[in-house]
Short mmCIF file of all heavy atoms in Angstrom, two decimals:
data_model
loop_
_atom_site.label_atom_id
_atom_site.label_comp_id
_atom_site.label_asym_id
_atom_site.label_seq_id
_atom_site.Cartn_x
_atom_site.Cartn_y
_atom_site.Cartn_z
N GLU A 53 112.58 36.56 -13.34
CA GLU A 53 112.39 37.21 -12.06
C GLU A 53 113.77 37.59 -11.41
O GLU A 53 113.84 38.69 -10.84
CB GLU A 53 111.66 36.26 -11.06
CG GLU A 53 110.26 35.91 -11.54
CD GLU A 53 109.36 37.15 -11.66
OE1 GLU A 53 109.09 37.84 -10.61
OE2 GLU A 53 108.99 37.51 -12.81
N LEU A 54 114.75 36.75 -11.62
CA LEU A 54 116.11 37.12 -11.15
C LEU A 54 116.65 38.30 -11.95
O LEU A 54 117.26 39.18 -11.36
CB LEU A 54 117.00 35.87 -11.27
CG LEU A 54 118.51 36.05 -11.02
CD1 LEU A 54 118.71 36.55 -9.59
CD2 LEU A 54 119.28 34.76 -11.28
N ASP A 55 116.40 38.27 -13.24
CA ASP A 55 116.90 39.37 -14.08
C ASP A 55 116.32 40.70 -13.64
O ASP A 55 117.03 41.68 -13.51
CB ASP A 55 116.53 39.12 -15.53
CG ASP A 55 117.12 37.86 -16.17
OD1 ASP A 55 118.11 37.34 -15.56
OD2 ASP A 55 116.64 37.38 -17.19
N LYS A 56 115.07 40.73 -13.37
CA LYS A 56 114.40 41.93 -12.93
C LYS A 56 114.93 42.40 -11.60
O LYS A 56 115.07 43.58 -11.36
CB LYS A 56 112.85 41.74 -12.87
CG LYS A 56 112.27 41.56 -14.23
CD LYS A 56 110.75 41.63 -14.23
CE LYS A 56 110.12 40.56 -13.45
NZ LYS A 56 108.67 40.50 -13.52
N GLU A 57 115.19 41.47 -10.66
CA GLU A 57 115.75 41.78 -9.38
C GLU A 57 117.12 42.46 -9.56
O GLU A 57 117.47 43.49 -8.90
CB GLU A 57 115.77 40.62 -8.46
CG GLU A 57 116.45 40.86 -7.09
CD GLU A 57 115.63 41.83 -6.24
OE1 GLU A 57 114.46 42.01 -6.52
OE2 GLU A 57 116.22 42.35 -5.22
N LEU A 58 118.01 41.87 -10.37
CA LEU A 58 119.33 42.40 -10.53
C LEU A 58 119.24 43.76 -11.23
O LEU A 58 120.01 44.62 -10.95
CB LEU A 58 120.12 41.44 -11.50
CG LEU A 58 120.41 40.01 -10.84
CD1 LEU A 58 121.11 39.09 -11.84
CD2 LEU A 58 121.19 40.18 -9.55
N GLU A 59 118.29 43.97 -12.20
CA GLU A 59 118.18 45.28 -12.86
C GLU A 59 117.69 46.31 -11.82
O GLU A 59 118.18 47.46 -11.83
CB GLU A 59 117.21 45.12 -13.98
CG GLU A 59 117.73 44.40 -15.18
CD GLU A 59 116.73 44.19 -16.29
OE1 GLU A 59 115.51 44.40 -16.02
OE2 GLU A 59 117.06 43.82 -17.41
N THR A 60 116.81 45.96 -10.92
CA THR A 60 116.29 46.82 -9.93
C THR A 60 117.49 47.31 -9.00
O THR A 60 117.47 48.45 -8.60
CB THR A 60 115.23 46.12 -9.04
OG1 THR A 60 114.11 45.80 -9.89
CG2 THR A 60 114.72 47.12 -7.94
N ARG A 61 118.42 46.40 -8.75
CA ARG A 61 119.53 46.72 -7.89
C ARG A 61 120.62 47.53 -8.67
O ARG A 61 121.62 47.90 -8.05
CB ARG A 61 120.11 45.47 -7.28
CG ARG A 61 119.18 44.70 -6.34
CD ARG A 61 119.89 43.56 -5.71
NE ARG A 61 118.97 42.74 -4.84
CZ ARG A 61 119.39 41.88 -3.92
NH1 ARG A 61 120.73 41.80 -3.68
NH2 ARG A 61 118.54 41.22 -3.21
N GLY A 62 120.46 47.63 -9.96
CA GLY A 62 121.40 48.36 -10.77
C GLY A 62 122.71 47.64 -11.00
O GLY A 62 123.76 48.24 -11.17
N LEU A 63 122.67 46.29 -10.99
CA LEU A 63 123.82 45.48 -11.18
C LEU A 63 124.09 45.13 -12.65
O LEU A 63 123.19 44.94 -13.40
CB LEU A 63 123.68 44.19 -10.31
CG LEU A 63 123.66 44.39 -8.79
CD1 LEU A 63 123.23 43.09 -8.13
CD2 LEU A 63 125.04 44.85 -8.27
N ASN A 64 125.39 45.04 -12.94
CA ASN A 64 125.77 44.52 -14.29
C ASN A 64 125.81 43.03 -14.28
O ASN A 64 126.48 42.38 -13.45
CB ASN A 64 127.15 45.07 -14.65
CG ASN A 64 127.15 46.56 -14.77
OD1 ASN A 64 126.28 47.23 -15.29
ND2 ASN A 64 128.18 47.22 -14.29
N PHE A 65 125.12 42.32 -15.20
CA PHE A 65 125.09 40.91 -15.28
C PHE A 65 124.85 40.47 -16.67
O PHE A 65 124.30 41.22 -17.53
CB PHE A 65 124.02 40.33 -14.29
CG PHE A 65 122.59 40.63 -14.79
CD1 PHE A 65 121.96 39.62 -15.49
CD2 PHE A 65 121.94 41.85 -14.59
CE1 PHE A 65 120.57 39.83 -15.97
CE2 PHE A 65 120.64 42.04 -15.07
CZ PHE A 65 120.00 41.02 -15.73
N VAL A 66 125.13 39.17 -16.94
CA VAL A 66 124.64 38.51 -18.15
C VAL A 66 124.14 37.14 -17.68
O VAL A 66 124.69 36.53 -16.71
CB VAL A 66 125.77 38.36 -19.18
CG1 VAL A 66 126.19 39.73 -19.73
CG2 VAL A 66 126.93 37.58 -18.69
N ARG A 67 123.14 36.64 -18.41
CA ARG A 67 122.62 35.36 -18.10
C ARG A 67 122.37 34.55 -19.38
O ARG A 67 121.77 35.14 -20.34
CB ARG A 67 121.27 35.42 -17.29
CG ARG A 67 120.71 34.03 -16.92
CD ARG A 67 119.46 34.16 -16.05
NE ARG A 67 118.31 34.75 -16.77
CZ ARG A 67 117.58 34.14 -17.70
NH1 ARG A 67 117.77 32.91 -17.96
NH2 ARG A 67 116.58 34.81 -18.25
N TYR A 68 122.84 33.31 -19.38
CA TYR A 68 122.52 32.37 -20.50
C TYR A 68 121.92 31.15 -19.83
O TYR A 68 122.58 30.42 -19.16
CB TYR A 68 123.78 32.07 -21.25
CG TYR A 68 123.47 31.28 -22.51
CD1 TYR A 68 123.36 32.00 -23.80
CD2 TYR A 68 123.33 29.92 -22.53
CE1 TYR A 68 123.05 31.32 -24.98
CE2 TYR A 68 122.96 29.26 -23.71
CZ TYR A 68 122.92 29.95 -24.89
OH TYR A 68 122.60 29.26 -26.06
N ALA A 69 120.61 30.97 -20.03
CA ALA A 69 119.89 29.91 -19.32
C ALA A 69 120.07 30.07 -17.81
O ALA A 69 119.82 31.14 -17.29
CB ALA A 69 120.34 28.57 -19.89
N ASP A 70 120.62 29.04 -17.11
CA ASP A 70 120.83 29.15 -15.74
C ASP A 70 122.26 29.57 -15.36
O ASP A 70 122.63 29.50 -14.19
CB ASP A 70 120.44 27.78 -15.07
CG ASP A 70 121.29 26.65 -15.51
OD1 ASP A 70 121.62 26.69 -16.73
OD2 ASP A 70 121.49 25.67 -14.72
N ASP A 71 123.04 29.95 -16.34
CA ASP A 71 124.44 30.42 -16.09
C ASP A 71 124.38 31.91 -15.98
O ASP A 71 124.26 32.63 -17.00
CB ASP A 71 125.35 30.01 -17.28
CG ASP A 71 125.76 28.56 -17.19
OD1 ASP A 71 125.85 28.06 -16.02
OD2 ASP A 71 126.13 28.01 -18.22
N CYS A 72 124.54 32.44 -14.78
CA CYS A 72 124.41 33.85 -14.51
C CYS A 72 125.68 34.35 -13.81
O CYS A 72 126.06 33.78 -12.87
CB CYS A 72 123.18 34.17 -13.70
SG CYS A 72 122.93 35.95 -13.29
N VAL A 73 126.22 35.43 -14.34
CA VAL A 73 127.35 36.10 -13.70
C VAL A 73 127.07 37.55 -13.46
O VAL A 73 126.47 38.20 -14.34
CB VAL A 73 128.68 35.87 -14.42
CG1 VAL A 73 129.17 34.38 -14.43
CG2 VAL A 73 128.63 36.39 -15.85
N ILE A 74 127.54 38.06 -12.36
CA ILE A 74 127.31 39.46 -12.01
C ILE A 74 128.68 40.08 -11.81
O ILE A 74 129.56 39.52 -11.26
CB ILE A 74 126.52 39.64 -10.65
CG1 ILE A 74 125.24 38.81 -10.76
CG2 ILE A 74 126.25 41.04 -10.34
CD1 ILE A 74 124.59 38.57 -9.38
N THR A 75 128.90 41.30 -12.36
CA THR A 75 130.20 41.93 -12.23
C THR A 75 130.07 43.22 -11.39
O THR A 75 129.19 44.03 -11.61
CB THR A 75 130.78 42.24 -13.62
OG1 THR A 75 129.96 43.21 -14.23
CG2 THR A 75 130.84 40.99 -14.45
N VAL A 76 131.06 43.40 -10.52
CA VAL A 76 131.14 44.64 -9.70
C VAL A 76 132.54 45.12 -9.65
O VAL A 76 133.46 44.50 -10.18
CB VAL A 76 130.58 44.40 -8.24
CG1 VAL A 76 129.10 44.04 -8.29
CG2 VAL A 76 131.33 43.31 -7.59
N ARG A 77 132.75 46.25 -8.92
CA ARG A 77 134.06 46.87 -8.94
C ARG A 77 135.06 46.44 -7.78
O ARG A 77 136.28 46.71 -7.85
CB ARG A 77 133.94 48.36 -8.90
CG ARG A 77 133.45 48.95 -10.22
CD ARG A 77 133.43 50.48 -10.17
NE ARG A 77 132.91 51.09 -11.36
CZ ARG A 77 133.68 51.37 -12.47
NH1 ARG A 77 134.97 51.05 -12.40
NH2 ARG A 77 133.15 51.96 -13.47
N SER A 78 134.51 45.81 -6.74
CA SER A 78 135.35 45.52 -5.60
C SER A 78 135.06 44.17 -4.99
O SER A 78 133.91 43.64 -5.16
CB SER A 78 135.19 46.58 -4.54
OG SER A 78 133.89 46.48 -3.88
N SER A 79 135.99 43.66 -4.29
CA SER A 79 135.81 42.38 -3.61
C SER A 79 134.74 42.42 -2.56
O SER A 79 133.87 41.46 -2.44
CB SER A 79 137.14 41.91 -2.93
OG SER A 79 136.94 40.73 -2.26
N ALA A 80 134.69 43.51 -1.74
CA ALA A 80 133.66 43.66 -0.79
C ALA A 80 132.27 43.67 -1.35
O ALA A 80 131.32 43.03 -0.86
CB ALA A 80 133.93 44.95 0.03
N ALA A 81 132.08 44.39 -2.43
CA ALA A 81 130.80 44.46 -3.13
C ALA A 81 130.41 43.16 -3.68
O ALA A 81 129.21 42.70 -3.61
CB ALA A 81 130.86 45.50 -4.26
N ALA A 82 131.39 42.36 -4.18
CA ALA A 82 131.06 41.07 -4.79
C ALA A 82 130.59 40.12 -3.70
O ALA A 82 129.59 39.37 -3.89
CB ALA A 82 132.37 40.54 -5.48
N ASN A 83 131.24 40.07 -2.55
CA ASN A 83 130.87 39.17 -1.49
C ASN A 83 129.44 39.54 -0.95
O ASN A 83 128.63 38.68 -0.64
CB ASN A 83 131.90 39.17 -0.36
CG ASN A 83 133.09 38.32 -0.67
OD1 ASN A 83 133.06 37.12 -0.68
ND2 ASN A 83 134.20 38.98 -1.01
N ARG A 84 129.25 40.85 -0.86
CA ARG A 84 127.92 41.30 -0.37
C ARG A 84 126.82 40.87 -1.31
O ARG A 84 125.77 40.40 -0.90
CB ARG A 84 127.93 42.79 -0.20
CG ARG A 84 126.61 43.38 0.33
CD ARG A 84 126.72 44.89 0.61
NE ARG A 84 126.95 45.64 -0.60
CZ ARG A 84 128.12 46.24 -0.92
NH1 ARG A 84 129.15 46.12 -0.11
NH2 ARG A 84 128.24 46.95 -1.98
N VAL A 85 127.06 41.06 -2.66
CA VAL A 85 126.06 40.70 -3.58
C VAL A 85 125.84 39.17 -3.67
O VAL A 85 124.69 38.70 -3.78
CB VAL A 85 126.54 41.16 -5.02
CG1 VAL A 85 125.64 40.57 -6.07
CG2 VAL A 85 126.39 42.68 -5.11
N MET A 86 126.91 38.40 -3.51
CA MET A 86 126.77 36.96 -3.56
C MET A 86 125.84 36.52 -2.43
O MET A 86 125.00 35.67 -2.62
CB MET A 86 128.17 36.33 -3.41
CG MET A 86 128.06 34.81 -3.46
SD MET A 86 129.71 33.98 -3.39
CE MET A 86 130.16 34.36 -1.65
N HIS A 87 125.99 37.01 -1.24
CA HIS A 87 125.21 36.60 -0.08
C HIS A 87 123.79 37.05 -0.15
O HIS A 87 122.83 36.28 0.05
CB HIS A 87 125.88 37.02 1.17
CG HIS A 87 127.17 36.32 1.49
ND1 HIS A 87 127.27 34.95 1.67
CD2 HIS A 87 128.45 36.78 1.63
CE1 HIS A 87 128.53 34.69 1.89
NE2 HIS A 87 129.28 35.71 1.88
N THR A 88 123.58 38.33 -0.64
CA THR A 88 122.21 38.84 -0.64
C THR A 88 121.38 38.22 -1.76
O THR A 88 120.19 37.87 -1.63
CB THR A 88 122.20 40.37 -0.78
OG1 THR A 88 122.93 40.76 -1.95
CG2 THR A 88 122.86 40.96 0.51
N ILE A 89 122.07 38.01 -2.96
CA ILE A 89 121.36 37.42 -4.09
C ILE A 89 121.04 35.97 -3.82
O ILE A 89 119.98 35.46 -4.22
CB ILE A 89 122.15 37.63 -5.35
CG1 ILE A 89 122.08 39.06 -5.83
CG2 ILE A 89 121.66 36.72 -6.46
CD1 ILE A 89 120.66 39.60 -6.15
N THR A 90 121.97 35.29 -3.18
CA THR A 90 121.75 33.82 -2.84
C THR A 90 120.53 33.74 -1.92
O THR A 90 119.66 32.90 -2.21
CB THR A 90 122.98 33.29 -2.14
OG1 THR A 90 124.10 33.29 -3.04
CG2 THR A 90 122.73 31.85 -1.65
N ARG A 91 120.47 34.54 -0.92
CA ARG A 91 119.25 34.50 -0.05
C ARG A 91 117.95 34.86 -0.80
O ARG A 91 116.88 34.24 -0.67
CB ARG A 91 119.43 35.46 1.14
CG ARG A 91 120.43 34.98 2.14
CD ARG A 91 120.26 35.78 3.44
NE ARG A 91 120.47 37.23 3.27
CZ ARG A 91 121.62 37.84 3.41
NH1 ARG A 91 122.74 37.12 3.74
NH2 ARG A 91 121.78 39.12 3.22
N TRP A 92 118.04 35.81 -1.74
CA TRP A 92 116.87 36.19 -2.50
C TRP A 92 116.40 35.06 -3.43
O TRP A 92 115.22 34.76 -3.50
CB TRP A 92 117.19 37.44 -3.34
CG TRP A 92 116.00 38.00 -3.98
CD1 TRP A 92 115.17 39.01 -3.60
CD2 TRP A 92 115.52 37.60 -5.31
NE1 TRP A 92 114.17 39.17 -4.51
CE2 TRP A 92 114.35 38.40 -5.56
CE3 TRP A 92 115.94 36.69 -6.28
CZ2 TRP A 92 113.64 38.25 -6.78
CZ3 TRP A 92 115.20 36.51 -7.48
CH2 TRP A 92 114.04 37.33 -7.70
N ILE A 93 117.33 34.38 -4.06
CA ILE A 93 117.00 33.25 -4.99
C ILE A 93 116.30 32.18 -4.23
O ILE A 93 115.31 31.63 -4.67
CB ILE A 93 118.27 32.76 -5.71
CG1 ILE A 93 118.77 33.79 -6.67
CG2 ILE A 93 118.01 31.46 -6.40
CD1 ILE A 93 120.17 33.50 -7.30
#
């Protein structure tokens, strides 16, 4: 379900079991993604 949400948002990520990392181009984008995805999870 998390994978599908990240794909819907067009984010680059890899997940191995519960180890998930998301990659973006800027610090601002990273902080925004961290907070929104945390709330979603």
Side-chain angles (χ1 to χ4, degrees):
E53 297 299 295
L54 172 61
D55 298 343
K56 291 192 295 186
E57 177 66 18
L58 296 175
E59 288 174 346
T60 299
R61 297 188 185 196
L63 293 169
N64 296 318
F65 73 96
V66 295
R67 182 176 64 80
Y68 190 94
D70 59 330
D71 283 332
C72 181
V73 294
I74 307 164
T75 64
V76 296
R77 289 185 180 275
S78 71
S79 175
N83 281 286
R84 182 174 63 254
V85 168
M86 182 178 69
H87 293 298
T88 59
I89 287 297
T90 295
R91 287 197 299 269
W92 187 92
I93 291 171

